[in-house]
Each structure stands twice: as structure tokens, then as C-alpha cells.
Amino acid sequence: MFQVFCIFIPILAALFMPFFFKKVRPIHTGWFVLIVPVFLVTFYAIYVPIIADGDTVISEFDWIPSLGISFVSYLDGLSLLFSILISGIGALVVLYSIFYLDRSKEQLHNFYIYLLMFMSAMLGVVQSDNTITLYLFWELTSISSFLLIGYWFHRDKSRFGALKSMMITVAGGMMMLGGFVLLSIIGNTFSIRELINQAPELATNDFFVLALILILLGAFTKSAQFPFYIWLPDAMEAPTPVSAYLHSATMVKAGIYLVARFTPIFAQSEIWIWLVAGIGLLTLFWGSFFAVKQTDLKGILAFSTVSQLGLIMSLLGVGAISYHVNGAEDTVFKYAAFAAIFHLINHATFKGSLFMIAGILDHETGTRDIRRLGGLMSLMPISFTVALIGSFSMAGLPPFNGFLSKEMFFTAMLSITQFDLFNFSTWSILFPIIAWIASVFTFIYSFYFVFRTFTGKLKVDQLPKKPHEAPIGMLISPLILAALVITIFFIPNLVADTFVKPAVMAIQPYLYSSPEEVNIHVTAWHGIESPELWMTVGVVILGLLLFLSLSKWQKMYNALPTKLTLNNLYDFIIYDLCDQWIGRFSGLYMTGSIRRYLSIMLSSMAIIVIGTLFIKDAFKLSFEEASTIHVYQIILIIVLVIGTITTVFAKSRITSIVALGAVGYTVSLFFVVYNAPDLALTQLVIETISVALFLLAFYHLPKFKKEEERTRFRFSKAFVSVAVGAMVTLVALSSHSQKLFPSISEYYKETVYSLAGGGNIVNVILVDYRGFDTLFEIAVLAIAGIAIYAMIKLRLSRKEKKL
């Protein structure tokens, strides 16, 4: 139970942020926030030995048990790794933000509330075993990231970037929800573990591929895969701590997690392999190619993140091939999943440090424009060292951890040429070629980031601030990450045994029964004849040549068409299509007239219901069980009709109110006639109160102007009236004439005493069976009352100002 509670600790801590910010002003709010991720990473570290042995830890809290929906915290190798990354990197980011954000200038309580919301959301995503709760947390990541990206809401670019990220990721999330619903229908469960156990049977269902595609849309939009990557560069308008957290280690990795978690289910399909591996490789190339074009430091890192996410995604796709091969080749494809998880860890370390260095450069020089930077190595030696370590690791050079996982990436791409199923024998040769070309551009943008910033001529006159080294507090977090970059290179197998192998076992549960069976040993040297080595040598040579001649060929990006871009397509859909065209269409009926709105809603409902009755042949008319109509009932009907007509055509409000009351009292007499005294009493009480309230309210309204106006017949009003009346009549007659389903009244009779503990069935229905309905009615009345009170207060305050 406490394990589930830990997911909500950050969001519960967020409730106290306004207090710390307003009442404890001398202390930076971040110091209080830092306690939360430090506690969480310590808590999850306790489970590392348990998970490393191949065990799992499950904690459950029922939410809606009748629907099979519950909060299930499921810790295995994959979810524990992500939980430690989320809380560990989160602690470093909070520490960094304490020195990055000025408590006297920033609304820190808002910032940390959003950050803690996001932390809870990510923990929920990676630990949820229930697909519905996973979706709940998934969308919470979109909402909280929207708030974080738009934290500096006074900036147009921040608002634009926040909206763009939310529109794309939420749309993908909706698609993913559809996939989850299909899976739950096919497998008759919301549990991911149970769905994995049913994977072979699920693959034979006709809706399996559709569910696969919908879930991949959610993963691709969140992890910025082509063509959905366009939100990530615009999200760089967020404060640097946000970029370092969301866009290097957490949010963008949510899609990676989703693909890894659902691989045991969907790896049965060749479509999964082609889409994950193919789109991942395309994203790798696309991001690395356009990273060299950027002039903003965070823009370079944004596109580099896109490319690195594509690399990890392609490895997961290639790793899924292991479900379709046997024998010696099997080990090679198991290698790909191992490489994906290993590079995921490495990427979090070197990219987090680089984002923090970009923030330091912006903080200390006043700009992120790489064209205005240069020659900062002597003024900012510590920042240069960290940037050098991170960039070299990203480029895949030794002795840094990125080199190890990059070599594994080459091994996986070469191994795919040995796979002869699903037409890979024809197209697989493109995989290592594209991977190598993308790696060349990765090398270029890594060198571009560090050397164009810290070497060359110092341009002090072009900098808004006089550059100097950052305070030590701001350097602690990137220094820790840089130290991890080097340390992992020298102890890769310790990291592999502790974190990578248990995660690989979770991705490929059919292949391994314990982490020890993942018989992969990480080494930096594979021999002089290793093709991976010569691919790396080629990357370094060609990368150096292209970097040194960058000024000569970088201008080619200007020749690319600027109109035919995905960003322009997004602008067209959101602003031209949705904002203008749909705005014009909505202007046809959004006139501000409540009467028109009500007419549209009622007529639409009538058309849909009546049309459904006849299209589905659901309308039946039978008088077999109808009771005899007596004279006094006819008299009551006549009174009812007269009262209704009088209410509409009366010229006096008092007359209308009395006539309306007469209608209500007549209905109560019908209840008496048909032996329903409880309903009659309820109706009489309601009508009495309603008439009294109407009289009280209308007494204070201005009187009717005594002007004669000829009432014209309007077809639209007549149509709405007749349609609604016909709908109610047809539904009533049809429901009386046919019994497609057993009456719920029998259930009420059987359970009114045993379950609800009441003797009066009407009262029990109103209070217990319709308890939520009554609660919502009370809530609606409360909201309406608050709104009316606010309008009255606003009106009175305006009068006071005039006086």
C-alpha cells in the first residue's frame, strides 16, 4: 500500500508549496522540494537488490473494483529503472533550479507545484499495471508539462510551445486510450501482466493490429518520433530545469517506456517490428541532420534528443525480432534490447548535463545564440569540461558511456541484415547505412555544440552579460552527471547487472526467467577486425572533415523549402483550419442566444432519438396491457392541456405561475390515481416550493410593458416543440410496448431491504440507488448559486464604483 502511496507523495507535497513560498521567504522553496525526490530515490534504491535477483514487487489499491480498475504499483526491472531515473534526475534538477531560478523574481510555488505534479504523473505511468490508470497518469504528464513549458506565460513563444506540445501529445494519448480499450475487450482485462500472458491469443484477433497502431501513436507523439517531433523544439522555451528534466530523462522517455512495456504483446506482429524500428531509424536520421542547422543551444539539444530517442526506439524494434528467431542469431537480437536500455541510461546522464550547461551559458552570458558565443573556455573552464564530457559521450567517443552503447547500436543494425523474414532480406541493408550516416551527423552536432561555444574568438561585445563561471551550486548537478558519464564507461557491467538486465528481462519475459540468463558482457574493445570499430573510425574521420568545413556546406539548409514543413502543416491545421474555418462555422450558431442554443440541442436530440428508433426498428406500439381510461382521467388530461396552454399564452406572470402550478398538481393527481402516494407527495412538495419561489423571484422583476405585438408563427419553434413532444411520446409508447430487457424494478424489490437497509422503496431509490444523481444535482445547484452570488456582487461593486 505504501508503494502506491509513494506515487502520490510529490503531488501531495505540492499542496504545501504556496505556504513555503509565502511564509518562509528567506529560504528558497526548492530546498523544501528537494526532500521529495531524495526520499523517493532512496526508497526505490531499497528494491534494487530484490529486482536485480529477478523478483517483482506489487502493491495494489482498489479504485473502481466493479470495472476492474485499480491503482497497481508494479515494480520490475523496467519500472524500477525508470522510477530511479525519474526521482534521481529529479533531485539533481531541483538542486540545479535552486540556483537557476531567483526566488525574488519568480513565482516559485507555481513552478514546483507543476514539477511535483509531473513527477507523480511519470511515476504513475511507469509503475501502473492497469491500462486505465496508466492513461490517467499519461494525460497528467501532458497537462503538467503544458504548465511547465508555459511557465513563463508572459512570453508568446512559451505559450505557443506549451499549446503545441499539449495538442500533439494529448491527441496521441486519445489514440492510445482507444488501443487500450480494444486490448481490454480482446483480452477481457485491463492488467498489462495478464495481457502479456495472453499475447499469442491476442495476436489472432482481428482488432489486434488496430490496437497496435493506436498505442504506437501515443508512444510516438510523446517520444517525439517522426513526424510528431515538431513539438519538442518549441518546448525549449521552458526554463532550463524543465528541459533538463522533461526532455532528457522523463517525459520524452514515456513513449520509450510504453513501447518497451508492450513489446511482449505486440512483438508477435511484423507490423510492430517495421514501425518501431523503421520510424525510430528515420527519426534518428532526421533529428541528427537538422540539429546541425540550429543556432540556439537548446535547439541543437532538442533535435539531438529527437535523434537519440529515435536511436533507442529503433533498437527496441530490432530487439522485437528475437521473438521470431532461434539458435545462434537469437543472442544478436537480444543484444538490441540490452543496447536500448543501456543507451537510455547513458542518454539521461550526458543529455541532462548538456541541458544544464546550456542553461548556465544562458544564465551567465544572457544568450543561447551560438553565433554570438565563442572563446568561453578560459572564462568558464568547469562548464567547458562538463560540456566536453557530455558532447563526446553523445558523439560516441571513448572513454565515455555513450561510446559503449553506440557500439552496441552498430552491432544491432548490422545484425538485422541476417534476418530474412518479413521482407527484411530486401530492405535490411538500409538499416546500418542510415544508422552510420546519422551517427556522422551526431558526431558533427556534438562537436558543433561544444567547440563553437567554448573555442574560437571571444565576442564580449555581442553578449548581453559579461561572461563568467557559474556559481558552484549551479555546477553540482551537471558535475555529478558528467562523473556518471565517465564512471559508467569503466564499470558498465555493474550497471548492466544491476539495472539493464532486469529491465531486459521485463521486455523479453518469454526469453528469460532470470536476469542472470541475459548473458551479455559489455566491453569497450571487440578486436581490430570488428566492423563496429571501423564504422566508428569512419564516423570520426568523416565527421571531423565535415565539422571543419561546416561553414562551407551548412548554408545548404537555407536551400531547403521553408513552406513545405511539418510545422507549417501544424499551423495550417490548428490556426487556419481549426481557428478560422471552424470559427466561422461555429459563428453561424454561436450567436449568444440561449433560446437558440436550447432549440439546437433539443431538436438534435429529438432527431437522433426518433431516427434511431425507426432505423433500428426499435419502435413498437401495443395496447394489450393498457388500463381502462375513465371519465375523471379524461377530465385531468383536459385540465393538464389547458394549464399548459395557459402557461404559454398568459399575459400576466401571476397567471402563468398559477397555471404552471396547476399542471404540476394535476400530475400529482395522476400519481394518486395510479396508487403512487409517495410520488404524489413528492410532486406536491416540489410544486408548492417551486410556485412559492417563482412568485418570490418574479415579484422583484420589472413588469411587462403594455405593448401589443402580433405573435407571428415561426416554423423553427413549432418544429422543435413538435419534435420534442413526438420524441417523448414515441419513447414512452415504445418502452411500454416492448420489454427487451428485464425491468430493474425487480432488482429494487429484491435488494431494497437486504442491501440498502430500507423499507420504503421510493425513498431508498431516491437516496441510495440514485445517490450520485442527487449529489450531482446538489452540486449543480451549489455551482449555480455561487455563480448568481458572484454576478450580484459584481453588479453591486460596479454600482459602488459609479457612486
Side-chain angles (χ1 to χ4, degrees):
M1 184 68 179
F2 184 72
Q3 187 178 315
V4 175
F5 176 72
C6 283
I7 295 174
F8 297 95
I9 285 178
I11 205 167
L12 292 174
L15 300 175
F16 299 95
M17 289 308 106
F19 170 79
F20 289 128
F21 177 70
K22 295 179 180 179
K23 303 297 182 181
V24 196
R25 297 290 294 180
I27 303 176
H28 196 287
T29 311
W31 289 114
F32 300 104
V33 178
L34 185 59
I35 299 171
V36 176
V38 169
F39 167 77
L40 288 174
V41 74
T42 305
F43 173 76
Y44 291 123
I46 297 172
Y47 293 102
V48 170
I50 301 172
I51 304 301
D53 290 336
D55 296 327
T56 58
V57 182
I58 303 174
S59 178
E60 185 173 353
F61 173 75
D62 286 338
W63 180 23
I64 312 176
S66 60
L67 298 179
I69 301 175
S70 57
F71 290 102
V72 181
S73 173
Y74 178 66
L75 283 180
D76 61 358
L78 187 63
S79 55
L80 180 65
L81 169 62
F82 274 88
S83 297
I84 289 177
L85 283 177
I86 292 163
S87 52
I89 300 294
L92 295 177
V93 166
V94 172
L95 177 61
Y96 175 83
S97 69
I98 292 171
F99 300 92
Y100 185 87
L101 297 172
D102 191 336
R103 69 173 184 270
S104 63
K105 298 179 181 178
E106 303 286 354
Q107 296 294 315
L108 294 178
H109 59 300
N110 292 338
F111 177 82
Y112 288 117
I113 287 173
Y114 306 155
L115 193 71
L116 290 169
M117 281 175 55
F118 180 82
M119 192 177 295
S120 275
M122 278 302 304
L123 289 173
V125 166
V126 302
Q127 293 184 33
S128 291
D129 177 63
N130 189 287
T131 53
I132 299 302
T133 54
L134 191 156
Y135 171 74
L136 172 71
F137 288 115
W138 183 277
E139 294 297 32
L140 185 57
T141 64
S142 297
I143 295 170
S144 52
S145 65
F146 165 79
L147 295 170
L148 284 167
I149 295 168
Y151 172 68
W152 285 325
F153 57 86
H154 55 278
R155 301 180 182 179
D156 291 338
K157 290 184 177 180
S158 294
R159 297 197 301 273
F160 177 82
L163 177 63
K164 194 171 187 178
S165 68
M166 189 173 72
M167 292 291 290
I168 294 174
T169 57
V170 168
M174 291 297 293
M175 298 297 105
M176 184 188 73
L177 176 61
F180 286 165
V181 171
L182 282 177
L183 271 185
S184 68
I185 293 172
I186 297 170
N188 196 30
T189 180
F190 291 114
S191 171
I192 298 174
R193 287 173 295 149
E194 294 178 15
L195 290 170
I196 291 174
N197 293 332
Q198 302 177 42
E201 293 78 20
L202 297 178
T204 61
N205 192 280
D206 295 337
F207 294 103
F208 181 75
V209 173
L210 178 58
L212 179 155
I213 293 172
L214 291 174
I215 289 174
L216 276 184
L217 285 172
F220 287 168
T221 51
K222 188 74 79 172
S223 282
Q225 299 297 291
F226 185 90
F228 308 109
Y229 71 92
I230 55 175
W231 68 265
L232 187 57
D234 289 294
M236 291 300 110
E237 291 300 322
T240 298
V242 174
S243 302
Y245 192 40
L246 273 65
H247 308 137
S248 67
T250 52
M251 178 182 171
V252 292
K253 300 286 176 63
I256 300 292
Y257 168 81
L258 193 72
V259 170
R261 179 59 77 194
F262 281 84
T263 289
I265 299 175
F266 292 117
Q268 313 288 333
S269 171
E270 62 180 279
I271 298 174
W272 177 269
I273 298 172
W274 270 112
L275 286 177
V276 176
I279 296 296
L281 201 63
L282 175 60
T283 305
L284 165 65
F285 171 78
W286 195 269
S288 61
F289 178 74
F290 282 98
V292 184
K293 176 187 177 182
Q294 309 307 310
T295 57
D296 183 282
L297 291 178
K298 288 176 70 174
I300 298 170
L301 295 179
F303 276 91
S304 73
T305 299
V306 170
S307 70
Q308 297 294 309
L309 292 171
L311 185 152
I312 300 171
M313 193 70 76
S314 65
L315 284 171
L316 289 174
V318 174
I321 294 176
S322 61
Y323 285 82
H324 301 274
V325 296
N326 295 303
E329 293 177 337
D330 200 11
T331 305
V332 178
F333 294 110
K334 291 177 184 178
Y335 202 75
F338 185 98
I341 298 300
F342 191 35
H343 193 73
L344 184 143
I345 298 172
N346 296 338
H347 178 260
T349 56
F350 67 68
K351 186 56 64 67
S353 65
L354 290 175
F355 266 115
M356 291 179 184
I357 292 300
I360 287 172
L361 289 166
D362 186 20
H363 196 271
E364 305 305 330
T365 66
T367 183
R368 299 196 309 256
D369 191 337
I370 201 169
R371 295 168 297 185
R372 302 168 67 181
L373 298 171
L376 297 174
M377 179 173 59
S378 58
L379 298 176
M380 307 176 71
I382 301 176
S383 298
F384 168 69
T385 303
V386 174
L388 191 70
I389 293 171
S391 297
F392 277 21
S393 180
M394 185 163 61
L397 298 177
F400 309 105
N401 58 1
F403 169 77
L404 299 175
S405 49
K406 187 261 300 176
E407 294 289 285
M408 292 181 174
F409 169 64
F410 283 157
T411 301
M413 291 300 111
L414 289 169
S415 69
I416 203 172
T417 59
Q418 305 170 21
F419 185 59
D420 58 0
L421 292 178
F422 311 143
N423 293 321
F424 272 92
S425 58
T426 303
W427 300 100
S428 60
I429 189 62
L430 295 176
F431 280 72
I433 294 173
I434 296 174
W436 186 80
I437 296 173
S439 297
V440 171
F441 281 99
T442 300
F443 182 94
I444 297 170
Y445 70 65
S446 299
F447 274 50
Y448 178 53
F449 177 87
V450 66
F451 289 114
R452 284 295 178 90
T453 303
F454 290 98
T455 63
K457 183 180 178 182
L458 182 63
K459 308 169 187 176
V460 180
D461 57 318
Q462 297 186 29
L463 302 177
K465 297 181 181 179
K466 184 179 179 181
H468 56 81
E469 187 58 272
I472 188 62
M474 198 180 294
L475 290 166
I476 293 175
S477 294
L479 280 171
I480 292 174
L481 291 172
L484 288 173
V485 168
I486 299 174
T487 304
I488 292 174
F489 177 84
F490 291 104
I491 56 167
N493 291 295
L494 177 61
V495 176
D497 294 339
T498 307
F499 298 107
V500 181
K501 290 182 179 181
V504 172
M505 177 185 164
I507 298 174
Q508 299 171 328
Y510 294 131
L511 304 179
Y512 306 108
S513 58
S514 69
E516 295 177 355
E517 295 181 11
V518 187
N519 54 345
I520 296 175
H521 187 76
V522 184
T523 58
W525 178 253
H526 300 89
I528 193 69
E529 297 180 357
S530 169
E532 295 88 344
L533 173 64
W534 292 107
M535 289 178 74
T536 300
V537 171
V539 167
V540 173
I541 294 173
L542 183 58
L544 275 174
L545 291 174
L546 291 175
F547 171 71
L548 295 174
S549 59
L550 185 61
S551 58
K552 296 181 180 180
W553 60 269
Q554 195 178 26
K555 296 178 181 178
M556 75 173 185
Y557 289 104
N558 298 329
L560 298 176
T562 56
K563 292 184 179 180
L564 301 177
T565 63
L566 292 170
N567 282 301
N568 284 338
L569 177 61
Y570 169 85
D571 292 340
F572 170 76
I573 293 173
I574 298 299
Y575 296 104
D576 294 338
L577 183 62
C578 294
D579 193 24
Q580 296 184 16
W581 293 2
I582 297 179
R584 292 172 185 172
F585 175 72
S586 63
L588 298 176
Y589 60 87
M590 296 295 288
T591 59
S593 171
I594 297 178
R595 178 180 294 176
R596 173 169 290 192
Y597 298 159
L598 189 62
S599 299
I600 292 173
M601 288 188 289
L602 290 174
S603 57
S604 299
M605 184 169 60
I607 292 170
I608 292 172
V609 172
I610 295 173
T612 303
L613 282 174
F614 285 97
I615 292 173
K616 297 294 183 180
D617 194 24
F619 176 72
K620 303 292 181 183
L621 183 59
S622 173
F623 298 102
E624 292 180 1
E625 298 181 2
S627 60
T628 304
I629 301 176
H630 299 282
V631 176
Y632 58 84
Q633 293 172 337
I634 296 175
I635 295 173
L636 288 177
I637 293 172
I638 294 172
V639 173
L640 192 65
V641 172
I642 293 173
T644 304
I645 295 173
T646 304
T647 302
V648 176
F649 291 98
K651 295 183 178 181
S652 168
R653 289 197 184 105
I654 299 297
T655 305
S656 296
I657 294 170
V658 171
L660 184 62
V663 171
Y665 290 128
T666 305
V667 171
S668 66
L669 289 176
F670 273 108
F671 290 144
V672 172
V673 169
Y674 289 104
N675 299 319
D678 291 328
L679 291 177
L681 180 61
T682 304
Q683 180 74 14
L684 287 170
V685 172
I686 291 174
E687 286 302 323
T688 302
I689 295 174
S690 298
V691 170
L693 288 175
F694 273 128
L695 289 171
L696 180 64
F698 279 92
Y699 175 78
H700 295 282
L701 291 177
K703 295 181 179 180
F704 280 130
K705 293 181 179 179
K706 294 183 179 180
E707 296 179 1
E708 291 189 5
E709 182 179 352
R710 296 185 62 184
T711 303
R712 294 183 299 171
F713 174 81
R714 294 190 179 183
F715 175 79
S716 59
K717 295 180 180 180
F719 173 80
V720 173
S721 302
V722 172
V724 173
M727 176 191 69
V728 174
T729 303
L730 290 175
V731 169
L733 291 174
S734 181
S735 61
H736 171 76
S737 303
Q738 60 182 336
K739 301 295 182 183
L740 298 178
F741 305 100
S743 175
I744 197 173
S745 60
E746 295 301 322
Y747 173 78
Y748 289 156
K749 292 177 183 178
E750 294 171 0
T751 60
V752 65
Y753 184 78
S754 59
L755 296 182
N760 188 312
I761 189 171
V762 175
N763 291 345
V764 170
I765 290 173
L766 291 174
V767 176
D768 291 298
Y769 295 110
R770 293 181 64 246
F772 277 116
D773 185 30
T774 306
L775 176 64
F776 292 146
E777 288 176 356
I778 294 171
V780 170
L781 288 173
I783 293 170
I786 293 171
I788 293 170
Y789 176 76
M791 293 172 67
I792 293 172
K793 291 288 289 184
L794 181 62
R795 185 176 182 181
L796 291 175
S797 62
R798 286 180 176 175
K799 286 184 177 180
E800 291 174 356
K801 288 181 180 179
K802 290 180 180 180
L803 294 175

